[in-house]
Amino acid sequence: MGILEKISEIEKEIARTQKNKATEYHLGLLKAKLAKYRAQLLEPSKSASSKGEGFDVMKSGDARVALIGFPSVGKSTFLSLMTSTASEAASYEFTTLTCIPGVIEYKGANIQLLDLPGIIEGAAQGKGRGRQVIAVARTADVVIMMLDATKGEVQRSLLEKELESVGIRLNKHKPNIYFKPKKGGGISFNSTVTLTQCSEKLVQLILHEYKIFNAEVLFREDCSPDEFIDVIVGNRVYMPCLYVYNKIDQISMEEVDRLARKPNSVVISCGMKLNLDYLLELLWEYLALTCIYTKKRGQRPDFTDAIILRKGASVEHVCHRIHRSLASQFKYALVWGTSTKYSPQRVGLTHTMEHEDVIQIVKK
C-alpha cells in the first residue's frame, strides 16, 4: 500500500467519522498520521533521477509575489499588463510551462512577480509539476491567487486545499503554542487559557504518534489539534494571500459586488484593464513595505532613491542596508517624519522607522 493510498484511506476515515466528544481522540490521531504521510510525500525520492529543467528563479527586488491559479485564468495576461515582461498568453490551457519572473515598479520599490504554471487538482501529490510550483510559492512574501470569476468558488476551495496539504497556511497567524522537546521528564502540559478543542490526553496521543515522549507544551491560545500538529512539524509557512477574481466583465454586477465584499478579495478584468490600480495599492499594504529616504548634512533629502525595508525596521536595519560597517561606527541619527515626536529627533539604533521617514546618520 503506497503513501497516496494510505492518505486517501485516512481522508475517507476522517470524512465518515462523526465529530463528537467520544471520537475527538480518534480524529486527532488520524490528523497526526495524515500530516506525517503528507510530509513523507513531499520529501524528494532517494533514487537518483535525471536532472530536469530548473524551475526556481533567483530572488531579486525588495519583495516577491507568486501568482497561483488554475490554467487559463489570466495569470500570464496579468504579468504582461503589470510588468514589462511579456509572458505568452493564449486561449488554451498550460500555455506557461515554467516560472516566468517580472518586476513591478511601484512607489520606488521593485516587486518581483512570478508567473507560475497552472495548478491542477492533485498538484500536492506531484501532478502536472504541481510540487515544483508549490515549492516556489513557499518562498514568496505574498501569494496572489488568480480565480476565474465565472467559477471562482470551486477553484478557491480546491486551491486552498492543495496549498494546505503542503504546509502553506493562507491569511493565518502562527499558533501561540510554546513547544520544546526535552531529554527526559515526560510531557509537561500547561495552558494559560481555557481549551475547548484540545485536551492533555489528545496532546499526549499526538506527541506519541510522532514518537515524542518528553516535551514541554504551553498553550497560550485556544488552538485546534491541526494547529498543534503544525507546531510539532515546524515547517509550515504562514503567508498573506490576495484572492483576485479575474474576468469580471463576463458576470453580472450583483455577482461582482458579492465577490468584491469578501475578505482579502479584489475583482479585476485583465481584458478590459479594470481595477488594476486598486489591486496594486492593496498588494503594497499586504507586503507591508516602508520607504526611507536618506539625507546628507547641509543638503536636501534625496527623494529619488529610497531605501525599501519591511514594516517595523529599526535604524540599525537602515545602517546595514547602506553599508555593513556603518552600524559599528554609528554615533546617532537625526530623523524627520511620523515616527518621531518632533522633527528632527535625535535617535539611537533601536528607533523604529515608519513609511517615508527621512534619516541623517552621524558617525563617530
Side-chain angles (χ1 to χ4, degrees), residues 138-177:
R138 279 176 80 100
T139 62
D141 299 305
V142 170
V143 167
I144 289 184
M145 198 181 277
M146 284 296 255
L147 304 162
D148 192 331
T150 52
K151 46 186 179 228
E153 295 312 307
V154 188
Q155 290 191 349
R156 180 169 168 169
S157 56
L158 280 171
L159 277 173
E160 280 177 342
K161 196 174 146 205
E162 291 296 332
L163 295 178
E164 193 88 3
S165 65
V166 293
I168 296 177
R169 303 284 177 262
L170 301 175
N171 296 327
K172 285 182 185 171
H173 65 88
K174 204 172 175 186
N176 195 353
I177 299 172

Short mmCIF file of all heavy atoms in Angstrom, two decimals, residues 138-177:
data_model
loop_
_atom_site.label_atom_id
_atom_site.label_comp_id
_atom_site.label_asym_id
_atom_site.label_seq_id
_atom_site.Cartn_x
_atom_site.Cartn_y
_atom_site.Cartn_z
N ARG A 138 6.14 28.76 -1.83
CA ARG A 138 6.55 28.81 -0.40
C ARG A 138 7.58 29.90 -0.14
O ARG A 138 7.72 30.38 0.98
CB ARG A 138 7.15 27.46 0.02
CG ARG A 138 6.13 26.42 0.37
CD ARG A 138 6.82 25.11 0.68
NE ARG A 138 7.37 25.10 2.03
CZ ARG A 138 6.80 24.52 3.07
NH1 ARG A 138 5.65 23.90 2.92
NH2 ARG A 138 7.35 24.53 4.25
N THR A 139 8.37 30.26 -1.17
CA THR A 139 9.44 31.25 -0.96
C THR A 139 8.94 32.69 -1.14
O THR A 139 9.70 33.62 -0.96
CB THR A 139 10.60 31.02 -1.96
OG1 THR A 139 10.09 31.21 -3.29
CG2 THR A 139 11.17 29.63 -1.83
N ALA A 140 7.67 32.86 -1.53
CA ALA A 140 7.16 34.21 -1.78
C ALA A 140 6.75 34.91 -0.48
O ALA A 140 6.57 34.27 0.55
CB ALA A 140 5.97 34.13 -2.73
N ASP A 141 6.61 36.25 -0.56
CA ASP A 141 6.16 37.02 0.60
C ASP A 141 4.64 37.10 0.63
O ASP A 141 4.02 37.14 1.68
CB ASP A 141 6.74 38.44 0.55
CG ASP A 141 8.26 38.43 0.58
OD1 ASP A 141 8.81 37.83 1.51
OD2 ASP A 141 8.89 38.97 -0.34
N VAL A 142 4.05 37.17 -0.55
CA VAL A 142 2.58 37.23 -0.68
C VAL A 142 2.18 36.33 -1.84
O VAL A 142 2.89 36.25 -2.84
CB VAL A 142 2.09 38.68 -0.95
CG1 VAL A 142 0.63 38.72 -1.33
CG2 VAL A 142 2.31 39.56 0.26
N VAL A 143 1.05 35.64 -1.70
CA VAL A 143 0.52 34.83 -2.80
C VAL A 143 -0.68 35.55 -3.39
O VAL A 143 -1.56 36.01 -2.64
CB VAL A 143 0.09 33.43 -2.29
CG1 VAL A 143 -0.73 32.71 -3.34
CG2 VAL A 143 1.31 32.60 -1.94
N ILE A 144 -0.69 35.70 -4.71
CA ILE A 144 -1.89 36.20 -5.39
C ILE A 144 -2.57 34.99 -6.01
O ILE A 144 -1.99 34.32 -6.86
CB ILE A 144 -1.56 37.25 -6.47
CG1 ILE A 144 -1.10 38.56 -5.83
CG2 ILE A 144 -2.78 37.51 -7.36
CD1 ILE A 144 -0.84 39.68 -6.81
N MET A 145 -3.78 34.70 -5.54
CA MET A 145 -4.50 33.54 -6.08
C MET A 145 -5.45 34.03 -7.16
O MET A 145 -6.43 34.71 -6.88
CB MET A 145 -5.27 32.85 -4.96
CG MET A 145 -5.69 31.45 -5.31
SD MET A 145 -6.61 30.68 -3.99
CE MET A 145 -5.32 30.08 -2.93
N MET A 146 -5.11 33.73 -8.42
CA MET A 146 -5.94 34.16 -9.54
C MET A 146 -7.10 33.19 -9.71
O MET A 146 -6.88 31.97 -9.82
CB MET A 146 -5.12 34.18 -10.83
CG MET A 146 -4.19 35.34 -10.94
SD MET A 146 -5.03 36.90 -11.01
CE MET A 146 -4.87 37.33 -12.70
N LEU A 147 -8.32 33.72 -9.72
CA LEU A 147 -9.50 32.88 -9.85
C LEU A 147 -10.36 33.40 -11.00
O LEU A 147 -10.41 34.60 -11.25
CB LEU A 147 -10.31 32.91 -8.55
CG LEU A 147 -9.56 32.50 -7.29
CD1 LEU A 147 -10.29 32.98 -6.06
CD2 LEU A 147 -9.36 31.00 -7.22
N ASP A 148 -11.03 32.48 -11.66
CA ASP A 148 -11.96 32.85 -12.71
C ASP A 148 -13.28 33.23 -12.05
O ASP A 148 -13.87 32.42 -11.34
CB ASP A 148 -12.14 31.64 -13.65
CG ASP A 148 -12.86 32.01 -14.92
OD1 ASP A 148 -13.66 32.96 -14.86
OD2 ASP A 148 -12.63 31.36 -15.95
N ALA A 149 -13.74 34.47 -12.26
CA ALA A 149 -14.95 34.95 -11.56
C ALA A 149 -16.18 34.12 -11.93
O ALA A 149 -17.12 34.02 -11.15
CB ALA A 149 -15.19 36.42 -11.89
N THR A 150 -16.15 33.49 -13.11
CA THR A 150 -17.32 32.71 -13.53
C THR A 150 -17.42 31.39 -12.77
O THR A 150 -18.48 30.81 -12.66
CB THR A 150 -17.26 32.42 -15.05
OG1 THR A 150 -16.00 31.84 -15.35
CG2 THR A 150 -17.44 33.70 -15.84
N LYS A 151 -16.26 30.89 -12.25
CA LYS A 151 -16.29 29.64 -11.47
C LYS A 151 -15.35 29.72 -10.27
O LYS A 151 -14.59 28.81 -9.98
CB LYS A 151 -15.96 28.45 -12.36
CG LYS A 151 -14.76 28.64 -13.27
CD LYS A 151 -14.58 27.48 -14.21
CE LYS A 151 -13.39 27.72 -15.12
NZ LYS A 151 -13.60 27.48 -16.50
N GLY A 152 -15.41 30.88 -9.59
CA GLY A 152 -14.43 31.19 -8.54
C GLY A 152 -14.48 30.33 -7.30
O GLY A 152 -13.45 29.93 -6.78
N GLU A 153 -15.70 30.03 -6.81
CA GLU A 153 -15.82 29.35 -5.51
C GLU A 153 -15.19 27.96 -5.52
O GLU A 153 -14.47 27.58 -4.60
CB GLU A 153 -17.30 29.23 -5.12
CG GLU A 153 -17.98 30.56 -4.86
CD GLU A 153 -17.17 31.48 -3.96
OE1 GLU A 153 -16.80 31.04 -2.86
OE2 GLU A 153 -16.90 32.62 -4.35
N VAL A 154 -15.45 27.21 -6.59
CA VAL A 154 -14.91 25.83 -6.69
C VAL A 154 -13.39 25.90 -6.74
O VAL A 154 -12.69 25.16 -6.02
CB VAL A 154 -15.44 25.14 -7.98
CG1 VAL A 154 -15.05 23.69 -8.00
CG2 VAL A 154 -16.94 25.30 -8.10
N GLN A 155 -12.88 26.79 -7.59
CA GLN A 155 -11.43 26.91 -7.75
C GLN A 155 -10.76 27.32 -6.44
O GLN A 155 -9.72 26.78 -6.09
CB GLN A 155 -11.12 27.97 -8.82
CG GLN A 155 -11.48 27.54 -10.22
CD GLN A 155 -10.92 28.48 -11.27
OE1 GLN A 155 -10.44 29.57 -10.96
NE2 GLN A 155 -10.98 28.07 -12.52
N ARG A 156 -11.38 28.26 -5.74
CA ARG A 156 -10.78 28.76 -4.50
C ARG A 156 -10.63 27.65 -3.46
O ARG A 156 -9.57 27.48 -2.87
CB ARG A 156 -11.65 29.90 -3.96
CG ARG A 156 -11.12 30.50 -2.67
CD ARG A 156 -11.86 31.77 -2.33
NE ARG A 156 -11.58 32.20 -0.97
CZ ARG A 156 -11.91 33.36 -0.48
NH1 ARG A 156 -12.54 34.24 -1.21
NH2 ARG A 156 -11.63 33.68 0.76
N SER A 157 -11.71 26.87 -3.26
CA SER A 157 -11.64 25.82 -2.23
C SER A 157 -10.64 24.74 -2.63
O SER A 157 -9.91 24.21 -1.77
CB SER A 157 -13.02 25.22 -1.99
OG SER A 157 -13.55 24.74 -3.20
N LEU A 158 -10.56 24.40 -3.93
CA LEU A 158 -9.61 23.37 -4.38
C LEU A 158 -8.17 23.83 -4.18
O LEU A 158 -7.32 23.07 -3.70
CB LEU A 158 -9.84 23.04 -5.87
CG LEU A 158 -10.99 22.09 -6.19
CD1 LEU A 158 -11.24 22.03 -7.67
CD2 LEU A 158 -10.70 20.69 -5.67
N LEU A 159 -7.90 25.09 -4.56
CA LEU A 159 -6.53 25.62 -4.42
C LEU A 159 -6.12 25.71 -2.95
O LEU A 159 -4.98 25.38 -2.60
CB LEU A 159 -6.42 27.00 -5.06
CG LEU A 159 -6.19 27.02 -6.57
CD1 LEU A 159 -6.28 28.43 -7.09
CD2 LEU A 159 -4.85 26.43 -6.95
N GLU A 160 -7.05 26.17 -2.11
CA GLU A 160 -6.73 26.27 -0.68
C GLU A 160 -6.40 24.89 -0.11
O GLU A 160 -5.49 24.74 0.69
CB GLU A 160 -7.92 26.87 0.08
CG GLU A 160 -7.99 28.38 -0.03
CD GLU A 160 -9.21 28.98 0.65
OE1 GLU A 160 -10.16 28.23 0.91
OE2 GLU A 160 -9.19 30.19 0.90
N LYS A 161 -7.14 23.89 -0.56
CA LYS A 161 -6.91 22.52 -0.09
C LYS A 161 -5.52 22.03 -0.51
O LYS A 161 -4.79 21.41 0.28
CB LYS A 161 -8.00 21.62 -0.67
CG LYS A 161 -8.12 20.26 0.03
CD LYS A 161 -9.31 19.50 -0.50
CE LYS A 161 -9.01 18.02 -0.51
NZ LYS A 161 -9.79 17.28 -1.47
N GLU A 162 -5.16 22.32 -1.77
CA GLU A 162 -3.84 21.89 -2.28
C GLU A 162 -2.72 22.55 -1.47
O GLU A 162 -1.75 21.89 -1.09
CB GLU A 162 -3.67 22.27 -3.77
CG GLU A 162 -4.56 21.49 -4.72
CD GLU A 162 -4.26 20.00 -4.74
OE1 GLU A 162 -3.11 19.60 -4.47
OE2 GLU A 162 -5.19 19.22 -5.01
N LEU A 163 -2.84 23.86 -1.24
CA LEU A 163 -1.78 24.58 -0.52
C LEU A 163 -1.72 24.17 0.95
O LEU A 163 -0.66 24.08 1.54
CB LEU A 163 -1.99 26.10 -0.64
CG LEU A 163 -1.86 26.68 -2.05
CD1 LEU A 163 -2.13 28.16 -2.04
CD2 LEU A 163 -0.49 26.43 -2.64
N GLU A 164 -2.91 23.92 1.51
CA GLU A 164 -3.00 23.50 2.91
C GLU A 164 -2.26 22.17 3.11
O GLU A 164 -1.57 21.97 4.10
CB GLU A 164 -4.49 23.32 3.27
CG GLU A 164 -4.77 23.19 4.74
CD GLU A 164 -4.99 24.52 5.44
OE1 GLU A 164 -4.99 25.58 4.79
OE2 GLU A 164 -5.15 24.48 6.66
N SER A 165 -2.39 21.26 2.13
CA SER A 165 -1.81 19.92 2.30
C SER A 165 -0.29 19.93 2.18
O SER A 165 0.36 18.95 2.53
CB SER A 165 -2.42 18.94 1.29
OG SER A 165 -2.08 19.32 0.00
N VAL A 166 0.30 21.01 1.65
CA VAL A 166 1.77 21.06 1.60
C VAL A 166 2.35 22.03 2.62
O VAL A 166 3.50 22.42 2.55
CB VAL A 166 2.31 21.45 0.20
CG1 VAL A 166 2.01 20.37 -0.80
CG2 VAL A 166 1.76 22.77 -0.25
N GLY A 167 1.51 22.44 3.57
CA GLY A 167 2.04 23.24 4.69
C GLY A 167 2.06 24.73 4.46
O GLY A 167 2.78 25.45 5.14
N ILE A 168 1.29 25.24 3.48
CA ILE A 168 1.17 26.70 3.33
C ILE A 168 -0.14 27.12 3.97
O ILE A 168 -1.20 26.62 3.61
CB ILE A 168 1.21 27.13 1.85
CG1 ILE A 168 2.56 26.78 1.21
CG2 ILE A 168 0.95 28.62 1.71
CD1 ILE A 168 2.66 27.09 -0.26
N ARG A 169 -0.06 28.01 4.96
CA ARG A 169 -1.26 28.48 5.64
C ARG A 169 -1.55 29.90 5.19
O ARG A 169 -0.74 30.81 5.42
CB ARG A 169 -1.07 28.44 7.16
CG ARG A 169 -0.68 27.06 7.70
CD ARG A 169 -1.89 26.14 7.74
NE ARG A 169 -1.55 24.80 8.18
CZ ARG A 169 -1.34 23.77 7.36
NH1 ARG A 169 -1.41 23.95 6.05
NH2 ARG A 169 -1.07 22.57 7.83
N LEU A 170 -2.70 30.11 4.55
CA LEU A 170 -3.01 31.42 3.97
C LEU A 170 -3.80 32.28 4.96
O LEU A 170 -4.77 31.81 5.56
CB LEU A 170 -3.83 31.24 2.69
CG LEU A 170 -3.15 30.41 1.59
CD1 LEU A 170 -4.09 30.20 0.43
CD2 LEU A 170 -1.87 31.04 1.11
N ASN A 171 -3.36 33.54 5.09
CA ASN A 171 -4.03 34.53 5.95
C ASN A 171 -4.29 34.03 7.37
O ASN A 171 -5.34 34.28 7.96
CB ASN A 171 -5.36 34.98 5.31
CG ASN A 171 -5.13 35.71 4.00
OD1 ASN A 171 -4.13 36.39 3.84
ND2 ASN A 171 -6.02 35.54 3.07
N LYS A 172 -3.34 33.26 7.89
CA LYS A 172 -3.43 32.79 9.28
C LYS A 172 -2.16 33.20 10.00
O LYS A 172 -1.11 33.38 9.36
CB LYS A 172 -3.52 31.25 9.31
CG LYS A 172 -4.88 30.70 8.92
CD LYS A 172 -4.88 29.19 9.03
CE LYS A 172 -6.17 28.59 8.52
NZ LYS A 172 -6.09 27.13 8.43
N HIS A 173 -2.23 33.31 11.31
CA HIS A 173 -1.01 33.61 12.06
C HIS A 173 -0.51 32.33 12.73
O HIS A 173 -1.25 31.36 12.88
CB HIS A 173 -1.26 34.71 13.10
CG HIS A 173 -2.22 34.30 14.18
ND1 HIS A 173 -1.81 33.67 15.32
CD2 HIS A 173 -3.56 34.43 14.28
CE1 HIS A 173 -2.86 33.41 16.08
NE2 HIS A 173 -3.94 33.86 15.47
N LYS A 174 0.75 32.36 13.13
CA LYS A 174 1.35 31.18 13.76
C LYS A 174 0.66 30.92 15.10
O LYS A 174 0.46 31.85 15.87
CB LYS A 174 2.83 31.45 13.97
CG LYS A 174 3.65 30.20 14.06
CD LYS A 174 5.13 30.53 14.08
CE LYS A 174 5.91 29.24 14.28
NZ LYS A 174 7.31 29.45 14.46
N PRO A 175 0.28 29.67 15.40
CA PRO A 175 -0.38 29.40 16.69
C PRO A 175 0.54 29.75 17.85
O PRO A 175 1.74 29.48 17.82
CB PRO A 175 -0.62 27.88 16.65
CG PRO A 175 -0.49 27.48 15.23
CD PRO A 175 0.43 28.46 14.59
N ASN A 176 -0.05 30.38 18.87
CA ASN A 176 0.74 30.82 20.02
C ASN A 176 0.89 29.65 21.01
O ASN A 176 0.28 29.63 22.07
CB ASN A 176 0.06 32.03 20.67
CG ASN A 176 0.98 32.76 21.62
OD1 ASN A 176 2.10 32.30 21.89
ND2 ASN A 176 0.55 33.88 22.12
N ILE A 177 1.72 28.68 20.61
CA ILE A 177 1.96 27.49 21.45
C ILE A 177 3.46 27.36 21.65
O ILE A 177 4.22 27.39 20.68
CB ILE A 177 1.42 26.21 20.77
CG1 ILE A 177 -0.09 26.30 20.53
CG2 ILE A 177 1.74 24.97 21.61
CD1 ILE A 177 -0.65 25.17 19.69
#
